[in-house]
Amino acid sequence: MTPERVAVIVNGNAKQVTEDLVDMLEEIIRSGDLFVSRSLEEGQDIARRIVEGNYPTVLTGGGDGTFTQMVTWICKEAKRQRKDPPRFGLLRLGTGNAIAWVLGAQNQGGRGVAVDLGRLHSQGGSRKLRLVEVNGVMTPFAGFGVDAMALQDYADMKVQLAKVPGLKRLAASGLAYGLSIGLKSMPKVLMQSRGHVRIYNEGDDAVRLGIDGQPVGAPIAQDELIFDGPFRGVLLSTIPYWGFGARIFPFAEEREDRFNLRIVDIGSVDVAWNIRAIWKGTYRDDRVHDFLCERVRLEFEGPTALEIGGDPVGTYRVATGSLAEPIDVVDYYAPPPVRQKGG
């Protein structure tokens, strides 16, 4: 049986995407099926060519941000051309890689990419993956406030470590993330005042969760106020992971028809003291508010930093988040398809 065509899109700006890696990929993949994107314009053009080429499977090579961008562009282009979007997968070439933890693409670096490409047809099953659409971008997770600030601090820390001889290899590690949190983000949280947000339900009934994850109170109807108060972080997600295996969203998979809205108002001292429980997703506190929502409108009192799929994207006063149509994904945890005899 001839394997189906697979398009591979790599982020040419990712640190792990070297000329050697591109050469290796060209040896594995048909030359016309490898796409290297180095700008937004190139990425959007590649999305058009992918849809026109009717590829059944598309793999992105980079971090969660690369996956998020390409999925959004390709799905929008497919809708414009009145076609079904392809199945998506991930080659782990970025840092953090929350989606890699969800889909089982755990082989990092050039050799790992080759292994995952080999696993695609023999071990790669398929399933649906839910996403949340934030300001028009389809993503597994997004965050306002301290979340976006922490990711920007981590990006800055990677650049700084990469310039120091002997420390370059640590730039894309969990240690670098820990250093950025301790040396950059936490001091900022101590010095900065909290923001204030009003969040309205614009979809079907929203559900408030107690600290045990169980529904509490009456459902929140459309147009009603979900939350009005101070925050340090406002997070939206359809997957449990935030990056490096941290289960920041323990209730993200409670319902197929809702995403997890999480408002966090704990300080840096609380984070440092409870980091292990936070990482495992077992931390509970009255200042962490969880809701299951279909669509929300967020109104901030001042410009608030936003990250989408792990990439800082600027500041906003008003934003929307809604559950998007699920996409088909390559999932190495799912059983592979059964091949028919003689197929």
Side-chain angles (χ1 to χ4, degrees):
M1 178 177 177
T2 303
E4 67 178 23
R5 292 177 66 207
V6 176
V8 175
I9 308 168
V10 295
N11 177 5
N13 297 318
K15 294 186 183 302
Q16 294 189 50
V17 179
T18 63
E19 290 185 8
D20 288 342
L21 176 63
V22 173
D23 290 342
M24 181 198 72
L25 289 173
E26 286 180 338
E27 292 180 5
I28 300 174
I29 307 162
R30 305 183 208 188
S31 59
D33 298 337
L34 175 64
F35 303 85
V36 181
S37 173
R38 293 185 172 85
S39 68
L40 295 178
E41 292 76 15
E42 286 185 348
Q44 291 170 324
D45 180 64
I46 288 171
R48 177 185 56 77
R49 293 159 60 190
I50 292 291
V51 176
E52 290 176 348
N54 297 314
Y55 286 93
T57 299
V58 177
L59 306 180
T60 66
D64 296 320
T66 301
F67 180 89
T68 292
Q69 285 184 336
M70 294 312 307
V71 166
T72 299
W73 290 333
I74 291 172
C75 286
K76 287 184 176 180
E77 181 63 26
K79 184 176 182 179
R80 190 187 70 82
Q81 295 189 27
R82 298 182 179 180
K83 295 180 178 180
D84 292 330
R87 178 179 67 155
F88 294 96
L90 181 78
L91 298 176
R92 193 179 175 193
L93 292 172
T95 55
N97 284 113
I99 301 172
W101 286 84
V102 175
L103 303 183
Q106 291 298 305
N107 298 292
Q108 192 165 15
R111 181 176 297 179
V113 166
V115 172
D116 274 351
L117 282 169
R119 295 168 65 201
L120 180 63
H121 298 292
S122 62
Q123 294 175 256
S126 298
R127 71 173 175 91
K128 296 287 186 180
L129 176 68
R130 300 176 308 125
L131 300 175
V132 58
E133 187 169 321
V134 178
N135 286 3
V137 180
M138 298 169 65
T139 179
F141 64 93
F144 297 84
V146 68
D147 181 44
M149 181 188 69
L151 284 166
Q152 183 61 62
D153 289 339
Y154 174 47
D156 295 340
M157 178 63 72
K158 288 192 293 183
V159 172
Q160 293 171 7
L161 288 175
K163 294 178 180 179
V164 180
L167 296 181
K168 185 175 181 180
R169 62 184 180 85
L170 299 177
S173 68
L175 176 60
Y177 176 66
L179 289 173
S180 72
I181 290 291
L183 301 178
K184 291 177 173 287
S185 303
M186 284 188 177
K188 289 180 182 177
V189 172
L190 283 172
M191 299 298 294
Q192 291 180 353
S193 59
R194 296 176 296 173
H196 192 281
V197 64
R198 293 181 181 86
I199 306 176
Y200 296 90
N201 183 24
E202 291 195 340
D204 289 342
D205 287 355
V207 178
R208 182 186 181 95
L209 301 179
I211 60 174
D212 59 354
Q214 297 301 308
V216 295
I220 303 169
Q222 189 173 28
D223 297 327
E224 287 187 356
L225 187 66
I226 293 177
F227 182 86
D228 183 356
F231 76 95
R232 294 191 185 277
V234 177
L235 317 172
L236 305 88
S237 185
T238 56
I239 64 174
Y241 300 104
W242 187 76
F244 297 108
R247 293 182 61 88
I248 301 299
F249 311 103
F251 308 124
E253 296 179 328
E254 288 295 309
R255 284 181 55 169
E256 290 293 321
D257 59 348
R258 298 291 186 271
F259 64 86
N260 186 191
L261 168 67
R262 169 165 274 205
I263 300 105
V264 180
D265 192 32
I266 59 175
S268 57
V269 174
D270 298 289
V271 173
W273 189 256
N274 298 283
I275 189 64
R276 184 179 294 275
I278 292 172
W279 201 272
K280 291 181 178 180
T282 58
Y283 178 72
R284 303 290 184 264
D285 193 283
D286 290 337
R287 295 165 296 172
V288 178
H289 312 278
D290 284 291
F291 302 86
L292 300 179
C293 307
E294 183 192 45
R295 179 178 176 84
V296 297
R297 176 181 175 86
L298 307 99
E299 298 180 357
F300 299 94
E301 287 194 346
T304 303
L306 167 65
E307 62 83 7
I308 297 179
D311 287 348
V313 294
T315 60
Y316 294 82
R317 286 179 178 267
V318 177
T320 58
S322 60
L323 194 67
E325 287 293 322
I327 59 173
D328 291 314
V329 292
V330 176
D331 186 352
Y332 293 110
Y333 296 128
V338 177
R339 303 298 185 187
Q340 299 294 328
K341 291 183 178 180

